[in-house]
Amino acid sequence: MHRQARNKAGPASDAQVGFVRRLDARILHHLSHLSPAPARLVEAARDAMGSGKRLRPYLLHLVAGDDADGCAVLDMAVALEMVHTASLIVDDLPSMDNATLRRGRPTTHARFGEATAILTAIGLLNQAISIANGLPGLADGQRGALVAILSGVMGWQGLVAGQELDLHGFSDADQTDGALDRITRINALKTGALLCAAVEAGAILGGRADEERSLLRRFGEDLGQAFQIADDLADMLSDSAATGKDCRQDIGKETYLAVFGADEALRRCRALLAAADDALLGAGLDPGPFRHMIDAIFQPMLDRVPQARPASAAR
């Protein structure tokens, strides 16, 4: 992620693997306490949340640091992953992206039907708020701030707005300054919002100072823009066997790749990763775990692009 070339990134670190195991166990704990919810609805939630990169929860954990309350961090990570999963269920619906494959498996509506998929997403969003509102060991102000983060990322200034703009574009009443501004705004709402929520929640749980939190938000914003560009590249230049989800979903949409081309998209993605690294260093956090995780996620995405160099090169 930083500008010096490094050896090719390997799999997730032992620390990340350990955290994901604890997270997955905590997810199952929360889903097992939903009774008397209908069994089919709980099964759909378990299926939807059964896999994933867990990028956002691990970012939250890294930003919070070792001095934060481990139980609160883990539960907030579960809540954030529930919001993320709900957004994927909604994105995949026939009335949205009409996708049939997600994480190498049938999408929730493909397996359980559209009605159950919608209800599962609503249930996960409500459960996320309930978990955040009951976090242990926090002052009321901290708990309220974390609930506000989740509410904000879900709504009119977050995922709802991003999905509407992604599907239907900007109306004449929406103020825009050209293609780059429109693309940046959609990417910030659809992808950056959840990444920023992860680092902001981690900063609150870790008691980070205001100047650190400002830099960490910049880190999340740049990382979100880079992630969406890399995802667009993989979507258009790879196949479902490699990505684990339906490809060519963005044909006809105004993406960075569609407007500026693959070479410029690759250059922009790497520039954003470098800028994110600068913000991380400015915040004073140990960059090692962040860099390892980000390379492990970005490198396979960019390696699917024809003739792309490793994600850690040319930064």
Side-chain angles (χ1 to χ4, degrees):
M1 184 175 159
H2 58 311
R3 290 186 177 87
Q4 288 184 329
R6 302 195 306 282
N7 293 331
K8 188 167 183 176
S13 66
D14 290 343
Q16 184 175 354
V17 170
F19 172 79
V20 169
R21 284 176 179 163
R22 296 194 301 275
L23 176 73
D24 288 346
R26 195 63 181 165
I27 288 171
L28 288 175
H29 167 81
H30 282 289
L31 293 179
S32 68
H33 286 76
L34 296 180
S35 181
R40 178 180 171 82
L41 209 56
V42 176
E43 182 186 358
R46 284 177 180 267
D47 182 75
M49 296 199 69
S51 62
K53 299 181 180 73
R54 310 305 195 206
L55 165 62
R56 294 148 193 87
Y58 191 54
L59 272 177
L60 186 156
H61 164 73
L62 289 179
V63 172
D66 294 335
D67 292 335
D69 184 301
C71 292
V73 168
L74 203 58
D75 276 348
M76 188 63 190
V78 171
L80 192 68
E81 190 69 357
M82 285 182 169
V83 172
H84 176 53
T85 301
S87 75
L88 298 181
I89 293 172
V90 171
D91 284 356
D92 291 338
L93 288 171
S95 59
M96 302 287 182
D97 291 344
N98 194 25
T100 59
L101 194 66
R102 172 70 68 176
R103 296 167 174 169
R105 303 160 63 191
T107 53
T108 303
H109 74 266
R111 181 172 177 186
F112 295 93
E114 188 172 1
T116 297
I118 293 170
L119 294 172
T120 300
I122 294 171
L124 286 173
L125 292 175
N126 278 274
Q127 186 67 11
I129 293 293
S130 177
I131 291 171
N133 199 42
L135 288 173
L138 300 180
D140 289 343
Q142 287 178 302
R143 197 177 291 110
L146 292 169
V147 170
I149 286 172
L150 287 184
S151 299
V153 79
M154 293 175 189
W156 303 101
Q157 305 299 323
L159 298 172
V160 166
Q163 184 69 358
E164 170 64 22
L165 292 172
D166 189 49
L167 287 170
H168 301 122
F170 291 79
S171 70
D172 292 339
D174 295 312
Q175 300 292 323
T176 64
D177 293 322
L180 180 58
D181 178 55
R182 291 192 294 271
I183 293 165
T184 301
R185 285 173 63 181
I186 290 176
N187 290 353
L189 293 167
K190 280 185 63 68
T191 306
L194 271 167
L195 291 171
C196 287
V199 298
E200 288 180 344
I204 290 172
L205 290 165
R208 302 287 179 188
D210 288 346
E211 58 269 23
E212 291 178 307
R213 290 171 65 174
S214 176
L215 286 164
L216 286 167
R217 180 169 182 84
R218 274 181 44 201
F219 163 77
E221 289 169 349
D222 289 336
L223 187 64
Q225 293 289 331
F227 188 92
Q228 188 58 57
I229 292 173
D231 190 63
D232 290 342
L233 284 162
D235 177 81
M236 292 301 294
L237 302 175
S238 190
D239 56 47
S240 296
T243 64
K245 61 182 182 178
D246 292 359
C247 288
R248 313 297 190 272
Q249 292 291 95
D250 293 330
I251 292 175
K253 293 182 180 179
E254 193 176 44
T255 65
Y256 200 95
L257 172 62
V259 174
F260 299 103
D263 288 344
E264 171 58 19
L266 280 168
R267 187 206 66 77
R268 177 65 173 163
C269 181
R270 290 175 175 139
L272 285 162
L273 288 173
D277 195 60
D278 287 342
L280 185 65
L281 289 171
L285 277 68
D286 177 9
F290 292 88
R291 289 170 172 172
H292 187 99
M293 177 197 64
I294 291 168
D295 271 358
I297 288 173
F298 274 82
Q299 191 162 289
M301 294 171 75
L302 296 183
D303 279 352
R304 297 185 191 116
V305 180
Q307 298 181 338
R309 289 176 293 167
S312 57
R315 294 188 188 152

